[in-house]
Amino acid sequence: MSSSNQPSAANLASAEHIRNNPKFAELVRKRNAFAWTLSAIMLIIYFGFILIIAFNKAWLGTLLAQGGVTTIGFPIGVGVILSAIALTGIYVYRANGEFD
């Protein structure tokens, strides 16, 4: 293994200095809280949908319009997928603006 793959002492000291900075610690705390909040929202949406599937299948099978073929479950399922995309976009937007 060559020595060029090893971090220099200056780089290690700089990284340690950054980790010990209170502003960095606050940024990490904010980012983690934000990420956990978005994760909790997504889990509530997803497991809410799964619970409806488990306990109220008939309601999800209700037709949107009389004589139609689309059920209530279809737009709700699409909504679950779109919510995941939207929450990812929200995270990326804030991460690029505030956390990076």
Side-chain angles (χ1 to χ4, degrees):
M1 189 171 194
S2 70
S3 62
S4 65
N5 291 336
Q6 299 296 322
S8 70
N11 285 343
L12 290 174
S14 178
E16 190 63 30
H17 177 73
I18 291 169
R19 275 193 291 271
N20 291 331
N21 186 318
K23 288 181 182 180
F24 178 75
E26 175 67 15
L27 184 67
V28 169
R29 187 198 62 74
K30 278 179 154 180
R31 187 201 60 196
N32 287 342
F34 184 62
W36 279 109
T37 300
L38 293 180
S39 296
I41 291 168
M42 192 64 239
L43 285 171
I44 289 166
I45 292 168
Y46 177 75
F47 283 112
F49 183 63
I50 297 301
L51 288 171
I52 292 171
I53 291 170
F55 296 109
N56 205 352
K57 287 180 197 169
W59 180 73
L60 287 175
T62 305
L63 294 176
L64 283 175
Q66 193 161 356
V69 295
T70 305
T71 64
I72 290 173
F74 182 76
I76 293 174
V78 170
V80 170
I81 294 167
L82 293 177
S83 67
I85 294 168
L87 290 174
T88 300
I90 291 167
Y91 178 81
V92 168
Y93 178 80
R94 186 162 176 204
N96 286 341
E98 183 179 345
F99 303 133
D100 279 347

